[in-house]
Short mmCIF file of all heavy atoms in Angstrom, two decimals:
data_model
loop_
_atom_site.label_atom_id
_atom_site.label_comp_id
_atom_site.label_asym_id
_atom_site.label_seq_id
_atom_site.Cartn_x
_atom_site.Cartn_y
_atom_site.Cartn_z
N VAL A 1 110.95 64.33 41.74
CA VAL A 1 111.85 65.02 42.68
C VAL A 1 113.18 65.34 42.00
O VAL A 1 113.74 66.42 42.18
CB VAL A 1 112.06 64.17 43.95
CG1 VAL A 1 113.10 64.79 44.86
CG2 VAL A 1 110.75 64.00 44.70
N ARG A 2 113.69 64.42 41.19
CA ARG A 2 114.97 64.66 40.50
C ARG A 2 114.88 65.86 39.56
O ARG A 2 115.85 66.60 39.41
CB ARG A 2 115.38 63.42 39.71
CG ARG A 2 115.82 62.29 40.59
CD ARG A 2 116.32 61.15 39.75
NE ARG A 2 116.23 59.92 40.48
CZ ARG A 2 116.18 58.72 39.96
NH1 ARG A 2 116.20 58.57 38.66
NH2 ARG A 2 116.10 57.65 40.71
N THR A 3 113.74 66.03 38.93
CA THR A 3 113.56 67.17 38.02
C THR A 3 113.64 68.48 38.80
O THR A 3 114.33 69.42 38.37
CB THR A 3 112.19 67.07 37.31
OG1 THR A 3 112.11 65.81 36.64
CG2 THR A 3 112.00 68.19 36.32
N VAL A 4 112.98 68.54 39.95
CA VAL A 4 113.01 69.75 40.76
C VAL A 4 114.43 70.01 41.25
O VAL A 4 114.92 71.15 41.21
CB VAL A 4 112.02 69.66 41.95
CG1 VAL A 4 112.13 70.88 42.85
CG2 VAL A 4 110.59 69.50 41.44
N ARG A 5 115.12 68.97 41.69
CA ARG A 5 116.50 69.15 42.15
C ARG A 5 117.40 69.67 41.02
O ARG A 5 118.26 70.51 41.25
CB ARG A 5 117.06 67.82 42.68
CG ARG A 5 116.63 67.52 44.08
CD ARG A 5 117.47 66.42 44.72
NE ARG A 5 116.83 65.99 45.93
CZ ARG A 5 116.27 64.81 46.11
NH1 ARG A 5 116.30 63.90 45.16
NH2 ARG A 5 115.69 64.51 47.26
N SER A 6 117.20 69.17 39.81
CA SER A 6 118.02 69.65 38.70
C SER A 6 117.72 71.11 38.39
O SER A 6 118.62 71.87 38.07
CB SER A 6 117.84 68.77 37.46
OG SER A 6 116.57 68.95 36.88
N TYR A 7 116.45 71.54 38.50
CA TYR A 7 116.11 72.96 38.32
C TYR A 7 116.84 73.81 39.35
O TYR A 7 117.34 74.89 39.04
CB TYR A 7 114.60 73.19 38.45
CG TYR A 7 113.77 72.68 37.30
CD1 TYR A 7 112.43 72.37 37.50
CD2 TYR A 7 114.29 72.50 36.03
CE1 TYR A 7 111.64 71.89 36.46
CE2 TYR A 7 113.50 72.04 34.97
CZ TYR A 7 112.18 71.73 35.19
OH TYR A 7 111.41 71.26 34.17
N VAL A 8 116.91 73.32 40.57
CA VAL A 8 117.59 74.06 41.64
C VAL A 8 119.09 74.13 41.34
O VAL A 8 119.70 75.20 41.41
CB VAL A 8 117.32 73.42 43.02
CG1 VAL A 8 118.23 74.01 44.09
CG2 VAL A 8 115.85 73.58 43.41
N ARG A 9 119.70 72.99 41.00
CA ARG A 9 121.14 72.96 40.73
C ARG A 9 121.52 73.82 39.53
O ARG A 9 122.59 74.42 39.51
CB ARG A 9 121.59 71.52 40.51
CG ARG A 9 121.65 70.72 41.78
CD ARG A 9 122.31 69.37 41.57
NE ARG A 9 121.98 68.49 42.66
CZ ARG A 9 121.20 67.41 42.58
NH1 ARG A 9 120.69 67.05 41.42
NH2 ARG A 9 120.95 66.69 43.63
N GLU A 10 120.64 73.86 38.53
CA GLU A 10 120.92 74.65 37.32
C GLU A 10 120.62 76.13 37.53
O GLU A 10 120.88 76.95 36.65
CB GLU A 10 120.07 74.12 36.15
CG GLU A 10 120.45 72.73 35.72
CD GLU A 10 119.43 72.09 34.78
OE1 GLU A 10 118.44 72.75 34.40
OE2 GLU A 10 119.62 70.91 34.45
N GLY A 11 120.05 76.50 38.68
CA GLY A 11 119.75 77.89 38.98
C GLY A 11 118.43 78.37 38.40
O GLY A 11 118.11 79.55 38.48
N LYS A 12 117.66 77.47 37.81
CA LYS A 12 116.37 77.85 37.25
C LYS A 12 115.34 78.14 38.33
O LYS A 12 114.44 78.95 38.14
CB LYS A 12 115.83 76.75 36.33
CG LYS A 12 116.67 76.52 35.08
CD LYS A 12 116.11 75.39 34.27
CE LYS A 12 116.97 75.12 33.05
NZ LYS A 12 116.47 73.96 32.28
N LEU A 13 115.47 77.44 39.45
CA LEU A 13 114.56 77.60 40.58
C LEU A 13 115.40 77.99 41.80
O LEU A 13 116.17 77.17 42.31
CB LEU A 13 113.79 76.31 40.85
CG LEU A 13 112.85 76.28 42.04
CD1 LEU A 13 111.77 77.36 41.92
CD2 LEU A 13 112.19 74.91 42.17
N PRO A 14 115.28 79.24 42.26
CA PRO A 14 116.07 79.65 43.42
C PRO A 14 115.70 78.84 44.66
O PRO A 14 114.53 78.54 44.90
CB PRO A 14 115.69 81.13 43.61
CG PRO A 14 115.09 81.55 42.32
CD PRO A 14 114.47 80.32 41.72
N ALA A 15 116.72 78.50 45.44
CA ALA A 15 116.49 77.74 46.67
C ALA A 15 117.60 78.04 47.65
O ALA A 15 118.72 78.36 47.26
CB ALA A 15 116.44 76.24 46.36
N ALA A 16 117.28 77.94 48.91
CA ALA A 16 118.27 78.09 49.97
C ALA A 16 118.61 76.71 50.49
O ALA A 16 117.73 75.86 50.66
CB ALA A 16 117.71 78.95 51.09
N ARG A 17 119.88 76.48 50.72
CA ARG A 17 120.29 75.20 51.27
C ARG A 17 120.32 75.33 52.79
O ARG A 17 121.05 76.15 53.34
CB ARG A 17 121.65 74.81 50.73
CG ARG A 17 121.99 73.38 51.03
CD ARG A 17 123.21 72.97 50.23
NE ARG A 17 123.56 71.62 50.56
CZ ARG A 17 123.42 70.59 49.74
NH1 ARG A 17 122.97 70.80 48.54
NH2 ARG A 17 123.74 69.39 50.12
N ILE A 18 119.51 74.51 53.45
CA ILE A 18 119.46 74.50 54.90
C ILE A 18 119.90 73.10 55.32
O ILE A 18 119.19 72.12 55.08
CB ILE A 18 118.04 74.82 55.42
CG1 ILE A 18 117.63 76.21 54.94
CG2 ILE A 18 118.01 74.72 56.94
CD1 ILE A 18 116.21 76.59 55.27
N GLY A 19 121.07 73.02 55.92
CA GLY A 19 121.63 71.71 56.22
C GLY A 19 121.94 70.99 54.91
O GLY A 19 122.63 71.53 54.05
N LYS A 20 121.39 69.82 54.74
CA LYS A 20 121.61 69.05 53.51
C LYS A 20 120.44 69.13 52.55
O LYS A 20 120.40 68.44 51.55
CB LYS A 20 121.87 67.58 53.86
CG LYS A 20 123.16 67.36 54.60
CD LYS A 20 123.41 65.89 54.81
CE LYS A 20 124.74 65.67 55.47
NZ LYS A 20 125.09 64.27 55.57
N GLN A 21 119.45 69.96 52.88
CA GLN A 21 118.24 70.01 52.05
C GLN A 21 118.01 71.42 51.51
O GLN A 21 118.40 72.40 52.12
CB GLN A 21 117.03 69.56 52.86
CG GLN A 21 117.17 68.14 53.34
CD GLN A 21 115.86 67.60 53.84
OE1 GLN A 21 114.85 68.28 53.82
NE2 GLN A 21 115.88 66.36 54.28
N TYR A 22 117.37 71.45 50.35
CA TYR A 22 116.99 72.72 49.74
C TYR A 22 115.61 73.13 50.25
O TYR A 22 114.75 72.29 50.47
CB TYR A 22 116.92 72.60 48.22
CG TYR A 22 118.26 72.38 47.56
CD1 TYR A 22 118.58 71.16 46.99
CD2 TYR A 22 119.19 73.42 47.48
CE1 TYR A 22 119.80 70.96 46.37
CE2 TYR A 22 120.40 73.23 46.86
CZ TYR A 22 120.71 72.00 46.31
OH TYR A 22 121.91 71.82 45.69
N ARG A 23 115.40 74.45 50.37
CA ARG A 23 114.10 75.01 50.69
C ARG A 23 113.79 76.10 49.67
O ARG A 23 114.65 76.94 49.37
CB ARG A 23 114.06 75.59 52.10
CG ARG A 23 114.19 74.53 53.18
CD ARG A 23 112.94 73.65 53.24
NE ARG A 23 113.03 72.70 54.31
CZ ARG A 23 113.09 71.39 54.14
NH1 ARG A 23 113.07 70.88 52.94
NH2 ARG A 23 113.15 70.58 55.17
N ILE A 24 112.57 76.09 49.16
CA ILE A 24 112.14 77.03 48.14
C ILE A 24 111.05 77.91 48.75
O ILE A 24 110.09 77.39 49.33
CB ILE A 24 111.61 76.29 46.90
CG1 ILE A 24 112.73 75.47 46.25
CG2 ILE A 24 111.05 77.25 45.86
CD1 ILE A 24 112.64 74.01 46.46
N THR A 25 111.19 79.23 48.58
CA THR A 25 110.18 80.13 49.13
C THR A 25 108.93 80.10 48.25
O THR A 25 108.99 79.77 47.06
CB THR A 25 110.69 81.58 49.22
OG1 THR A 25 110.89 82.08 47.91
CG2 THR A 25 111.95 81.68 50.06
N HIS A 26 107.83 80.48 48.84
CA HIS A 26 106.56 80.54 48.14
C HIS A 26 106.66 81.52 46.96
O HIS A 26 106.20 81.22 45.84
CB HIS A 26 105.45 80.97 49.11
CG HIS A 26 104.09 80.96 48.54
ND1 HIS A 26 103.34 79.81 48.45
CD2 HIS A 26 103.33 81.96 48.01
CE1 HIS A 26 102.17 80.10 47.90
NE2 HIS A 26 102.14 81.41 47.62
#
């Protein structure tokens, strides 16, 4: 999970922040 979060924070994996959690589209 930490690896995926770091991809999101680094901008490698686009994600939308909904509340306190990230959501990634298909």
Side-chain angles (χ1 to χ4, degrees):
V1 173
R2 289 185 203 157
T3 304
V4 176
R5 280 195 192 111
S6 71
Y7 288 156
V8 169
R9 286 189 198 112
E10 294 167 4
K12 294 178 182 177
L13 177 59
R17 192 168 178 110
I18 300 174
K20 293 185 177 186
Q21 299 194 0
Y22 292 109
R23 293 290 183 245
I24 297 106
T25 66
H26 185 82

